[in-house]
Amino acid sequence: MNMNKSWWKESVVYQIYPRSFCDSNHDGIGDLNGIVSKLDYLKRLGIDVIWLSPVYKSPNCDNGYDISDYMDIMDDFGTMEDFDNLLSEAHRMGIKIIMDLVVNHTSDEHSWFIESKKSTDNPFRDYYIWRKGKDGLEPNNWGSCFGGSAWKYSQETDMYYLHLFADKQPDLNWDNKKVREEVYHMMTWWSDKGIDGFRMDVISMISKTKDMPDGAVGKGSFYGDFAPYVIHGPHVHEYLQEMNREVLSKYDLVTVGETAGITVDEAGKYAGFDRSELNMVFQFEHVDLDFGENGKWNDQPPQLSALKEVMSRWQTGLYGKAWNSLFWENHDQPRIVSRFGNDSEYWEKSAKMLALCLHMMQGTPYIYQGEEIGMTNFPFTSISQFRDLESINAFRELAGGRVFDDAYMMKCLNYKSRDHARTPMQWDATAYAGFSDVMPWIEVNPNYKKINTQSQIDDSHSIFQFYRKLIALRKANEIIVYGKYELLLPESEELFIYTRTHDGRKLLVMCNFTGKTQEYTVPDELVLLSRELLVSNYSDSGVENSTMLRPYEAKVYSMING
Ligand code: GLC
Ligand code: CA
């Protein structure tokens, strides 16, 4: 069994979406100096690593995921000096920083693309993916992730370029060795600066098949699916191994690949302990369970048994072979307490239960800004309140009776929009939640007077303190990092119960996913073990055999394996 110890297996990562974290210069937009001012808050929480969503130069069509210069900083966020200061301040406090690496595509305002589109013999032409139209139409029927065709016509050369995301995000051609060399050069430049790793945006999509046939057209869609020709395409592992040889192996970096649409087996290739590619994957099967028959836009949470099946398959499938990330939220996901918990009556209990359920598993936990204080979804009432191009485009394409009526589309957006994650971080009860002293670029959640860091930091029963405790427990108990996982009671739609086993010790993790009291009888082989309560979200959880789990109760018993 290969279970070598590594610092990144034992770390907890905190994701910052800089635009929404903290504004230091009164323009309503979060920035690098704002992050510096909150490092002591993060230190207090106890995290080890910050994942910084993109801070590079960008025209911001997708909030920095469209980069026009990889070696410069976005004006809204500050300067390269500000970045260097953030890095050295973080390091001084023992916090590492990993950068978002967005190299499936650039901005159409990147100098490579400006050159590329000029003529077919331009030296940068093959940096991107160009095709001739078919019968006066796009080269194939692929739809982009953000709506519309995945191809955009360019009149300079009477050809189309591929963009799997927005038309301002042209896909790079990874089959061109020069592109790969440019990327490695840029990664080396950042690594030499002393950054601690990379989170690799949609890295499973960098290698496309040469032939690009029409894709299958799903229900409620006008366009074909590119996935079979793009997701873990023909050369992706070859390119990642090359990247590892050329850059990653030369530094002590942590790498995490955003790998949408992959299977457990495929994850073993990206993040296998014996493969020299990446350290871990960041996959979405558990948060894609609430896709409906029309894809992402749906308003119903999944069944608990389905969630357990998926999470358990990843826990056992990668055990001893490869490494996974543990997350409920990121900048593309709605707030977990509103999604799988209860953000009204049981707000606090269910936020803690979800945290415990995830943090007792194997993998590197990621906490998304605001999750640690139980930030909730925003109550959107009008499409004009959205800022995210995915939400806005989806409304334009699907609402108005085209696929859904406006009211139902609004319901879907209120359940799933990426903007729920992007409302300003709630620091205190003053105007604009202490995020800024002017009107922010996106509205503050109206519940900020109740839900904010200031009201939670010193309250020993707060969600913040509960996350802090979970992080501390992981550091003090090897079993949480390295123990073997086993699911109990797979068919229950109310309870999520599992064990971890390591070195003669067992943890019994029990979570009630409902607002009703549930009864659970501990299996005979566990009854005999002496046990002690490690952590619980009710202050009076005790040690019984036949256990009642109150609404959203969650607890962990530690047992000695006889
Ligand atoms: C990733 C990012 C998302 C972005 C997309 C295109 O999925 O997480 O925010 O829009 O890639 O870069
Ligand atoms: Ca600012």
Side-chain angles (χ1 to χ4, degrees):
M1 181 71 32
N2 182 338
M3 198 53 95
N4 293 337
K5 299 194 175 154
S6 313
W7 64 265
W8 44 265
K9 290 180 186 161
E10 300 174 7
S11 296
V12 176
V13 182
Y14 187 90
Q15 185 192 351
I16 292 183
Y17 195 69
R19 206 171 190 77
S20 306
F21 193 62
C22 181
D23 172 24
S24 72
N25 64 344
H26 325 287
D27 62 358
I29 299 174
D31 46 56
L32 294 172
N33 288 334
I35 299 172
V36 173
S37 74
K38 298 297 183 187
L39 287 173
D40 54 350
Y41 168 81
L42 298 179
K43 191 72 203 165
R44 186 134 175 216
L45 181 58
I47 57 98
D48 309 281
V49 180
I50 292 172
W51 152 19
L52 206 54
S53 273
V55 294
Y56 316 94
K57 269 262 181 314
S58 163
N60 267 319
C61 107
D62 188 19
N63 286 352
Y65 283 90
D66 49 318
I67 297 169
S68 53
D69 187 343
Y70 289 102
M71 299 203 271
D72 204 349
I73 299 291
M74 188 190 301
D75 292 336
D76 285 342
F77 293 165
T79 62
M80 193 56 83
E81 287 68 50
D82 296 335
F83 177 84
D84 292 342
N85 177 48
L86 168 61
L87 186 63
S88 68
E89 282 302 294
H91 283 172
R92 195 174 56 76
M93 297 176 78
I95 296 175
K96 297 182 194 291
I97 296 191
I98 67 178
M99 302 294 282
D100 219 309
L101 183 79
V102 188
V103 289
N104 173 68
H105 45 269
T106 68
S107 163
D108 66 341
E109 297 181 34
H110 194 291
S111 61
W112 300 339
F113 189 76
I114 293 173
E115 286 302 314
S116 183
K117 73 180 209 185
K118 283 184 181 161
S119 63
T120 53
D121 57 5
N122 187 285
F124 290 89
R125 184 65 172 182
D126 288 337
Y127 273 45
Y128 296 87
I129 300 169
W130 293 96
R131 291 283 190 279
K132 290 210 165 65
K134 236 169 59 188
D135 314 323
L137 294 171
E138 287 82 9
N140 67 27
N141 72 352
W142 295 358
S144 97
C145 292
F146 295 151
S149 168
W151 297 95
K152 174 139 178 182
Y153 181 71
S154 177
Q155 65 183 37
E156 287 87 340
T157 56
D158 188 29
M159 285 174 78
Y160 293 79
Y161 67 86
L162 180 70
H163 61 89
L164 298 178
F165 295 89
D167 60 6
K168 284 185 69 62
Q169 294 169 300
D171 280 57
L172 282 165
N173 174 18
W174 273 72
D175 294 333
N176 180 349
K177 194 158 193 312
K178 282 203 212 128
V179 166
R180 305 202 301 275
E181 283 167 1
E182 298 264 20
V183 170
Y184 305 154
H185 167 75
M186 173 270 282
M187 292 173 72
T188 299
W189 187 84
W190 281 100
S191 302
D192 284 340
K193 240 184 200 303
I195 59 133
D196 304 288
F198 295 102
R199 173 269 183 184
M200 303 186 185
D201 193 65
V202 292
I203 202 70
S204 50
M205 289 157 68
I206 57 174
S207 169
K208 283 88 176 169
T209 53
K210 272 253 158 354
D211 286 340
M212 297 186 163
D214 283 347
V217 179
K219 189 167 175 268
S221 173
F222 312 102
Y223 294 100
D225 181 16
F226 58 62
Y229 316 101
V230 159
I231 293 184
H232 52 83
H235 303 291
V236 66
H237 296 295
E238 184 188 318
Y239 296 157
L240 286 175
Q241 286 179 9
E242 180 183 76
M243 178 194 283
N244 190 296
R245 263 193 325 274
E246 298 296 321
V247 188
L248 306 177
S249 61
K250 300 180 180 160
Y251 303 86
D252 185 17
L253 299 171
V254 58
T255 51
V256 47
E258 189 198 24
T259 46
I262 65 160
T263 59
V264 174
D265 277 351
E266 193 66 29
K269 296 191 192 151
Y270 285 94
F273 296 145
D274 55 355
R275 293 231 355 141
S276 301
E277 291 189 28
L278 305 178
N279 293 137
M280 63 185 110
V281 292
F282 198 95
Q283 57 76 32
F284 297 88
E285 201 177 342
H286 62 303
V287 287
D288 286 350
L289 279 170
D290 50 14
F291 275 43
E293 56 173 5
N294 292 302
K296 169 167 182 166
W297 302 110
N298 179 39
D299 69 342
Q300 291 305 314
Q303 287 204 308
L304 183 62
S305 56
L307 183 67
K308 294 192 295 188
E309 187 279 319
V310 168
M311 297 190 88
S312 304
R313 183 153 39 74
W314 282 90
Q315 287 290 305
T316 51
L318 295 191
Y319 181 70
K321 297 184 193 144
W323 201 251
N324 200 1
S325 309
L326 299 174
F327 72 96
W328 287 131
E329 295 185 7
N330 74 4
H331 63 294
D332 297 327
Q333 303 290 329
R335 295 294 185 174
I336 197 62
V337 66
S338 302
R339 189 181 193 177
F340 297 167
N342 174 322
D343 64 10
S344 49
E345 190 183 353
Y346 295 111
W347 164 70
E348 182 213 306
K349 287 277 182 278
S350 69
K352 290 178 180 173
M353 181 280 288
L354 287 161
L356 183 148
C357 185
L358 189 74
H359 280 247
M360 289 297 131
M361 291 188 186
Q362 181 159 74
T364 298
Y366 287 68
I367 300 170
Y368 179 73
Q369 64 185 44
E371 178 186 337
E372 77 281 14
I373 55 166
M375 277 179 63
T376 67
N377 278 358
F378 184 98
F380 291 105
T381 52
S382 150
I383 188 68
S384 67
Q385 293 170 300
F386 291 89
R387 296 290 173 271
D388 174 27
L389 84 167
E390 183 194 51
S391 299
I392 295 168
N393 290 351
F395 190 85
R396 204 181 294 140
E397 207 165 276
L398 306 174
R402 279 172 288 273
V403 176
F404 305 127
D405 61 33
D406 288 8
Y408 183 71
M409 187 67 211
M410 215 50 199
K411 258 182 111 175
C412 295
L413 289 169
N414 266 312
Y415 179 64
K416 272 278 186 74
S417 170
R418 306 199 297 181
D419 275 342
H420 295 296
R422 301 175 182 188
T423 63
M425 179 71 185
Q426 292 163 210
W427 294 105
D428 59 39
T430 64
Y432 309 120
F435 162 78
S436 178
D437 49 17
V438 302
M439 175 93 81
W441 68 278
I442 184 170
E443 276 179 71
V444 176
N445 194 308
N447 64 21
Y448 73 93
K449 291 205 167 125
K450 172 177 171 213
I451 302 178
N452 61 65
T453 64
Q454 202 186 36
S455 68
Q456 294 194 28
I457 280 186
D458 295 320
D459 171 1
S460 59
H461 298 295
S462 68
I463 299 170
F464 175 87
Q465 288 295 345
F466 197 74
Y467 268 87
R468 187 165 175 239
K469 179 156 193 190
L470 293 173
I471 296 169
L473 282 173
R474 175 168 287 262
K475 304 229 172 293
N477 294 273
E478 247 186 18
I479 186 171
I480 300 177
V481 179
Y482 296 107
K484 186 169 183 179
Y485 171 100
E486 192 187 348
L487 179 70
L488 305 179
L489 228 61
E491 67 294 338
S492 166
E493 297 297 351
E494 294 85 26
L495 299 176
F496 196 154
I497 298 189
Y498 61 89
T499 58
R500 301 289 305 279
T501 308
H502 183 69
D503 257 354
R505 200 174 155 205
K506 240 186 215 313
L507 298 181
L508 175 63
V509 181
M510 305 199 265
C511 299
N512 181 354
F513 269 67
T514 74
K516 296 202 178 81
T517 296
Q518 308 286 344
E519 193 165 348
Y520 173 66
T521 311
V522 176
D524 287 349
E525 69 269 23
L526 299 183
V527 169
L528 302 174
L529 307 179
S530 75
R531 75 181 68 164
E532 113 198 19
L533 186 71
L534 195 65
V535 55
S536 160
N537 63 349
Y538 276 73
S539 52
D540 58 346
S541 292
V543 178
E544 310 91 31
N545 286 340
S546 173
T547 312
M548 296 300 242
L549 284 142
R550 285 164 286 181
Y552 292 102
E553 187 165 15
K555 51 192 169 186
V556 181
Y557 290 110
S558 167
M559 305 170 159
I560 305 297
N561 216 353

